[in-house]
Amino acid sequence: MHKTRSTLVFLSPWLVSFGIFWVFPLVFSLVLSFLRFNPLRPDTTQIVWLSNFATAFKDPLFWKSLTNTLVFVLGTVPVTTVVAFFLAVAINQRIPLRTLYRSGFFVPSIISVVVISIIFKQFYSPLGLVNKVVQLFGGEPKSWLGEPRTALLCIMAMDVWASFGYYTILFLAGLQAIPSETYEAARIDGSGFWGTLRFVTVPMVRPITLFIVVINTIRSFQIFIEIFVMTRGAPLNSTLTSVFYLYDRAFYRFEMGYASAVAYLLFIVILCFSLAQMRYLRMGRAAGE
């Protein structure tokens, strides 16, 4: 009994902060999703039950933001994962300056996303570095963030550059946990580089691959800072993502109930994606692929 009380005393700071900053906002936003609530007019609060969810399903902007978010996730997560994996394999070899490569790849991960977004916004401007390179090869300069066809692609490219270094380090940790005897056995059996990569390395790093894919997918679904700094959903809503959309409805239009409903719909989408990824990758592991 005394030991239990001591444990609770030591855990109490974490439990209190967890309750205040995680459980309470989660429950409060769930309650808000069933209300029509304007913080500037609390006297007009009404219980609308599932009306906010129904409104979201009929709202073209909600579907536009969700579509843009899915394009962002499907366009960045596979590219980031593949690039990070092969870079980790490369710098896991005995090559000169590999410590420098590891540090260099990881540097973008420790820079503020706001700073990276401001720098890339300058790169993509009509007088920026990207247009200088395009003109060098005889192309026509353009406003990369000002055209609907290129704005989201530019932000996706920046996201891949900013995040692959972090996942490279995670893959590298997974590769270094593989026993060297496994590679020796594969070499004795006559396996080449690609055979060893396919039948030894890839199955052995499947747990870290699952971790990387799931957290990268969740992070990509929550893309916000880059959009807020670089385009704010423009041009013509071509970069409007789900989190920026609910932020706009909550803090510019003060539709807290509707924004909470959109947040829970996004939560359900992320949950479905995460469960599907875990099921697929674990099935592959069970089959010994």
Side-chain angles (χ1 to χ4, degrees):
M1 188 66 181
H2 177 70
K3 188 175 181 180
T4 304
R5 287 180 180 176
S6 301
T7 304
L8 287 175
V9 169
F10 282 108
L11 285 177
S12 58
W14 180 84
L15 290 173
V16 170
S17 61
F18 181 74
I20 293 175
F21 296 110
W22 200 89
V23 176
F24 174 72
L26 190 69
V27 175
F28 186 62
S29 62
L30 179 62
V31 173
L32 281 182
S33 68
F34 299 112
L35 302 176
R36 181 173 291 119
F37 176 69
N38 184 336
L40 301 181
R41 294 287 308 278
D43 56 306
T44 61
T45 301
Q46 292 180 334
I47 300 176
V48 295
W49 300 112
L50 297 176
S51 176
N52 287 326
F53 294 91
T55 302
F57 286 125
K58 297 176 184 175
D59 187 352
L61 277 182
F62 167 74
W63 291 109
K64 177 68 175 175
S65 66
L66 188 59
T67 302
N68 288 341
T69 306
L70 286 171
V71 169
F72 186 89
V73 171
L74 297 176
T76 57
V77 173
V79 175
T80 305
T81 305
V82 171
V83 170
F85 174 74
F86 280 102
L87 280 176
V89 171
I91 61 178
N92 195 40
Q93 311 299 316
R94 293 180 179 177
I95 58 175
L97 302 176
R98 64 176 181 172
T99 303
L100 179 64
Y101 294 140
R102 293 175 188 173
S103 305
F105 293 146
F106 191 68
V107 165
S109 304
I110 60 175
I111 301 176
S112 165
V113 177
V114 175
V115 174
I116 292 176
S117 300
I118 292 173
I119 293 173
F120 271 77
K121 191 175 181 180
Q122 296 300 318
F123 284 169
Y124 291 138
S125 69
L127 299 177
L129 180 63
V130 174
N131 275 331
K132 298 292 184 187
V133 175
V134 170
Q135 287 177 302
L136 192 65
F137 289 95
E140 291 291 328
K142 61 173 66 176
S143 177
W144 297 94
L145 294 177
E147 296 188 10
R149 290 185 303 172
T150 57
L152 188 61
L153 291 174
C154 290
I155 298 175
M156 291 164 62
M158 182 197 72
D159 181 81
V160 171
W161 176 85
S163 60
F164 77 83
Y166 173 70
Y167 300 116
T168 299
I169 298 302
L170 293 182
F171 268 125
L172 188 61
L175 291 172
Q176 293 183 346
I178 301 175
S180 58
E181 293 82 3
T182 308
Y183 287 116
E184 289 292 335
R187 196 172 298 116
I188 292 172
D189 288 342
S191 177
F193 174 79
W194 292 108
T196 304
L197 189 70
R198 178 181 177 186
F199 296 109
V200 176
T201 305
V202 171
M204 295 292 280
V205 298
R206 190 179 294 276
I208 193 68
T209 304
L210 171 62
F211 175 73
I212 288 171
V213 170
V214 171
I215 65 168
N216 196 12
T217 301
I218 294 173
R219 185 193 64 82
S220 298
F221 266 111
Q222 297 172 339
I223 182 77
F224 171 74
I225 297 176
E226 296 87 338
I227 304 297
F228 182 83
V229 174
M230 299 177 76
T231 61
R232 299 202 172 207
L236 300 175
N237 297 318
S238 61
T239 62
L240 182 68
T241 57
S242 294
V243 175
F244 186 83
Y245 174 63
L246 72 89
Y247 169 82
D248 177 73
R249 301 304 289 256
F251 297 104
Y252 283 99
R253 304 170 192 268
F254 300 107
E255 299 173 354
M256 290 292 182
Y258 179 73
S260 299
V262 171
Y264 268 91
L265 290 174
L266 181 61
F267 167 74
I268 293 171
V269 172
I270 294 174
L271 181 64
C272 292
F273 261 77
S274 300
L275 291 176
Q277 289 169 338
M278 288 190 282
R279 181 178 176 83
Y280 174 75
L281 290 174
R282 283 179 178 168
M283 283 176 62
R285 184 183 182 187
E289 292 178 356

